[in-house]
Amino acid sequence: MTSDVLVMGGGATGQLAAAYLGKRFPNLKVAVIEGPRKNRPIVGESLVEASVDFMFELGLGAYLVENHYPKYGLTYYFKPNVDDPADRTYVVDEIPTAPQILSFQINRFTFDREVRDRNLKSGVQLIDGNVTGVDINSGGGLHVVTVQGPDGERRTLSARWLVDATGRNRLLAKQLQLQETVKEQKNVFWFRLMNFNPEILSRIQALKKQNRAFVPYFATHHFFGKGNWIWCIPMRSPENQPLISIGITYRKDVYPHGEVRTMEQFFECVGREHPVIVELVRSGTIVDTNYYGSYMWECRQRYSSDRWYIIGDAGDTVDPLYSVGLALSSLQIRQIAAIIQRELNGSDTKEFTKDLDTVLATFQRSVTRDTTRLYECMGDAYECHLRVHLAVVKLFHLALPLIMNDYLWDPVGVKLVNWFYSLDTLEADSKKIQELIREVAANPKNRTVENFIKVQSCASMNFGYYEHHREEDIAASLSKLAFDLARLRLSLLGKLGWRGLFNFNQQRALLKDVFRGLFLVPFYGTKLRESRLVRMLISSRGFGIARAGGTSLAPVARTHAKKITSTA
């Protein structure tokens, strides 16, 4: 059997990849090796804006609206006195108003089945079997995959493009020895609950700004504790009955309460910090339980010009705190489509493939590593809330505008991003301001409730940009990010008093933020990818600019997405 595109792995990431590539390239033959369809742990019920943009492009908009709950952002619960179970005082941070971009809480079992059924109807070939061998052809020929079917018979499949979506099995990463060790490991235990009393979640002393724009229950609820956080995600069953997914993720080296992999351990450990969650769980009926141990890993290379690609958990895993798992998978799928399109246009893909691999590693690892460091202060409500605020500002000013305007799979856009933001730069900047936050939080006077800021405000969530989310507004969005960081740093230095006057490292970082903001001011109202000055700057740094055959795919993709959205 021969396919143009062969996807190994029939989970959500693999099926979504097949659905997108099949829709994008109707003349290509797309096949998925599913593996045995057994009950397996499924997590990732909370979608974010970038994921939904991708789902709408696939034509899933109407399905999501009709079959899954809307999501009103993320609600964070910071407990100032986390050591006292009897104290139910929380600083609660909700989004300021209904989100400007749609998002959803999904039942992954029904959602995954829907995507698979649509693939069957659209002509994607689904192959039942286990991959027992892969022969990568690095000479431009076809890759060969050996599959063993349920009957024990083995057969070979050939494909021009090979996509590894095998998740935790990490087929290609292991075979090609691309795995990298992650020192700070995390465990996660989760379950679904039915017949529960949702009003129990409100049985706390909530210090928050009241909202009148949405029902607070329909958000992703995040409770922070020492070395851990707990999610509560509302969803609905296929019978339209309320369900809720609840889970705890903890970093093994800093979590003080022991292992959590059973319901009894969950009640014991979580009850020491958040009795309200224990009450919620005891009010209902457990549907199922799941556990992943030491689930963090990284991969040295995800894309190859030899036409193989590693996506989702088969490459790098991500922390679920900001619900970016499916978002990053959808980003990768679009990147692979851009590579295939470039090759079909007759252009060389070697440099473009490397550029995409670099930008993916930058975005994925910067958010994951930053979140991993957050576990060290999750029990400190003041320090934690400032760190989460930083993540929110970066997400809505940097990541989402670039994704919504197709920069991360565009030949010029990706070079621009790689030039302006490197993994080393992002990590160094994050660590620098985290040091300042830690120093400020060391003073008990600063940790009083009066000193908490709004984590998710109209400014931090960049509401002005998302009124139109146009490409010509990206420079202003990035500039505001730099200026916001400078203002925050200045405010924190003020809390240090006279010591802030002599903290020259932070003052230099502040000036660097201001310079970055000012540097982008001349580009306000400019489409950066079309700017001659930007292209000259990129070329001066030794980056080539893609020419014929590698032109931007953005206009085609965005127009297509708008048509699908309006239809849905």
Side-chain angles (χ1 to χ4, degrees):
M1 295 178 58
T2 301
S3 299
D4 294 300
V5 181
L6 181 61
V7 180
M8 299 184 295
T13 299
Q15 296 289 358
L16 286 170
Y20 187 84
L21 296 174
K23 190 177 187 70
R24 178 71 179 274
F25 306 107
N27 294 326
L28 296 183
K29 184 178 179 181
V30 180
V32 179
I33 304 173
E34 292 192 288
R37 292 193 296 275
K38 58 184 179 181
N39 292 328
R40 56 175 179 252
I42 296 179
V43 68
E45 299 95 347
S46 178
L47 298 182
V48 296
E49 294 81 358
S51 307
V52 174
D53 182 62
F54 175 80
M55 304 302 177
F56 270 54
E57 193 171 342
L58 272 178
L60 288 164
Y63 165 76
L64 289 171
V65 170
E66 294 169 4
N67 295 277
H68 299 274
Y69 283 154
K71 171 187 169 182
Y72 296 112
L74 281 69
T75 298
Y76 300 106
Y77 297 77
F78 305 98
K79 188 174 182 181
N81 194 4
V82 73
D83 290 316
D84 184 1
D87 188 346
R88 297 203 174 191
T89 303
Y90 290 86
V91 176
V92 179
D93 198 279
E94 298 173 337
I95 60 173
T97 185
Q100 295 175 300
I101 307 175
L102 283 176
S103 194
F104 296 89
Q105 318 275 30
I106 61 172
N107 183 322
R108 279 292 305 278
F109 291 88
T110 56
F111 174 81
D112 290 10
R113 186 164 57 246
E114 176 71 17
V115 177
R116 182 182 183 275
D117 290 346
R118 290 187 178 217
N119 279 344
L120 271 176
K121 293 177 182 178
S122 66
V124 173
Q125 186 175 12
L126 303 182
I127 301 167
D128 190 7
N130 289 317
V131 176
T132 58
V134 179
D135 183 10
I136 299 294
N137 192 322
S138 58
L142 299 180
H143 306 299
V144 178
V145 178
T146 304
V147 178
Q148 182 173 323
D151 56 2
E153 182 181 352
R154 296 196 176 194
R155 51 180 169 164
T156 58
L157 313 175
S158 300
R160 183 175 179 183
W161 294 281
L162 186 63
V163 180
D164 182 1
T166 55
R168 293 171 61 86
N169 291 330
R170 294 172 281 166
L171 199 151
L172 283 184
K174 291 178 178 178
Q175 177 173 321
L176 301 175
Q177 298 181 346
L178 299 173
Q179 303 170 86
E180 291 186 335
T181 303
V182 174
K183 181 180 177 182
E184 299 87 358
Q185 282 299 332
K186 303 164 195 171
N187 291 351
V188 56
F189 172 79
W190 75 100
F191 52 90
R192 291 182 301 160
L193 190 71
M194 63 184 301
N195 301 324
F196 58 96
N197 179 5
E199 295 181 359
I200 291 177
L201 269 179
S202 62
R203 294 178 185 174
I204 60 173
Q205 179 62 36
L207 306 177
K208 69 173 185 176
K209 290 186 177 181
Q210 297 295 327
N211 90 80
R212 295 177 176 83
F214 57 89
V215 178
Y217 172 70
F218 293 102
T220 300
H221 304 269
H222 288 176
F223 289 78
F224 290 100
K226 289 186 173 181
N228 78 98
W229 65 278
I230 297 163
W231 77 71
C232 300
I233 303 176
M235 65 178 71
R236 61 201 246 195
S237 72
E239 297 76 31
N240 203 25
Q241 297 300 310
L243 290 173
I244 191 167
S245 171
I246 300 177
I248 178 171
T249 302
Y250 58 96
R251 213 178 97 178
K252 296 167 65 175
D253 59 325
V254 294
Y255 185 58
H257 302 313
E259 189 175 46
V260 182
R261 59 186 305 166
T262 66
M263 288 308 306
E264 291 74 18
Q265 291 170 335
F266 180 89
F267 290 138
E268 167 65 22
C269 296
V270 174
R272 297 180 183 182
E273 296 178 343
H274 307 293
V276 65
I277 297 179
V278 173
E279 289 181 20
L280 173 66
V281 177
R282 291 194 184 279
S283 74
T285 304
I286 304 296
V287 176
D288 53 13
T289 62
N290 301 283
Y291 172 81
Y292 280 159
S294 299
Y295 69 89
M296 299 301 299
W297 54 78
E298 293 179 351
C299 183
R300 280 195 299 277
Q301 181 183 358
R302 289 141 298 276
Y303 306 151
S304 170
S305 56
D306 289 329
R307 302 191 309 279
W308 56 260
Y309 315 97
I310 302 175
I311 65 175
D313 287 351
D316 287 33
T317 47
V318 296
D319 191 286
L321 178 60
Y322 300 115
S323 305
V324 296
L326 278 178
L328 285 167
S329 293
S330 66
L331 164 60
Q332 288 192 271
I333 293 167
R334 283 163 154 169
Q335 289 179 325
I336 293 169
I339 296 172
I340 293 175
Q341 181 67 70
R342 185 168 173 80
E343 185 171 341
L344 291 175
N345 289 346
S347 298
D348 182 71
T349 63
K350 186 174 183 179
E351 184 178 348
F352 185 40
T353 301
K354 185 177 180 181
D355 287 341
L356 294 179
D357 199 28
T358 299
V359 79
L360 176 68
T362 297
F363 273 73
Q364 191 165 37
R365 294 185 181 179
S366 61
V367 66
T368 299
R369 293 175 181 178
D370 191 64
T371 306
T372 294
R373 292 191 295 270
L374 181 65
Y375 282 79
E376 298 165 7
C377 69
M378 282 182 174
D380 184 326
Y382 178 76
E383 185 175 352
C384 182
H385 100 284
L386 285 176
R387 297 269 292 270
V388 174
H389 172 73
L390 278 176
V392 170
V393 172
K394 292 176 182 177
L395 172 65
F396 285 96
H397 285 76
L398 170 62
L400 195 53
L402 294 176
I403 292 173
M404 296 292 287
N405 285 280
D406 310 317
Y407 268 59
L408 301 189
W409 51 92
D410 174 80
V412 178
V414 73
K415 284 189 179 296
L416 177 61
V417 176
N418 283 337
W419 169 63
F420 205 83
Y421 292 101
S422 69
L423 179 59
D424 291 341
T425 299
L426 289 175
E427 286 206 301
D429 289 347
S430 291
K431 289 179 180 178
K432 181 67 69 176
I433 198 166
Q434 287 164 13
E435 291 172 5
L436 179 58
I437 292 173
R438 192 179 306 114
E439 191 174 355
V440 172
N443 186 343
K445 293 181 180 180
N446 292 329
R447 293 203 303 269
T448 60
V449 172
E450 293 76 15
N451 285 324
F452 279 68
I453 67 173
K454 188 83 175 74
V455 171
Q456 302 170 104
S457 64
C458 292
S460 66
M461 298 184 73
N462 204 8
F463 273 18
Y465 173 83
Y466 293 105
E467 185 174 355
H468 304 288
H469 57 80
R470 299 173 298 200
E471 181 180 0
E472 53 266 38
D473 296 330
I474 287 180
S477 178
L478 298 176
S479 181
K480 289 176 183 177
L481 168 62
F483 289 140
D484 286 346
L485 292 177
R487 279 191 291 267
L488 177 61
R489 202 184 302 266
L490 184 61
S491 173
L492 294 173
L493 284 170
K495 293 182 182 298
L496 292 180
W498 64 268
R499 288 184 298 128
L501 297 174
F502 299 97
N503 196 327
F504 300 121
N505 285 335
Q506 295 296 339
Q507 290 176 12
R508 281 193 293 269
L510 189 152
L511 291 174
K512 188 177 180 180
D513 291 333
V514 172
F515 173 76
R516 285 174 175 167
L518 292 173
F519 172 80
L520 288 161
V521 169
F523 298 99
Y524 281 19
T526 301
K527 293 184 178 181
L528 296 176
R529 286 177 292 189
E530 299 176 7
S531 168
R532 290 185 180 180
L533 179 57
V534 169
R535 287 172 174 257
M536 288 173 56
L537 289 170
I538 294 175
S539 298
S540 69
R541 296 295 180 112
F543 295 116
I545 300 294
R547 299 186 184 277
T551 55
S552 172
L553 303 173
V556 176
R558 187 58 56 205
T559 301
H560 182 55
K562 286 181 179 178
K563 289 180 180 178
I564 296 173
T565 302
S566 60
T567 302

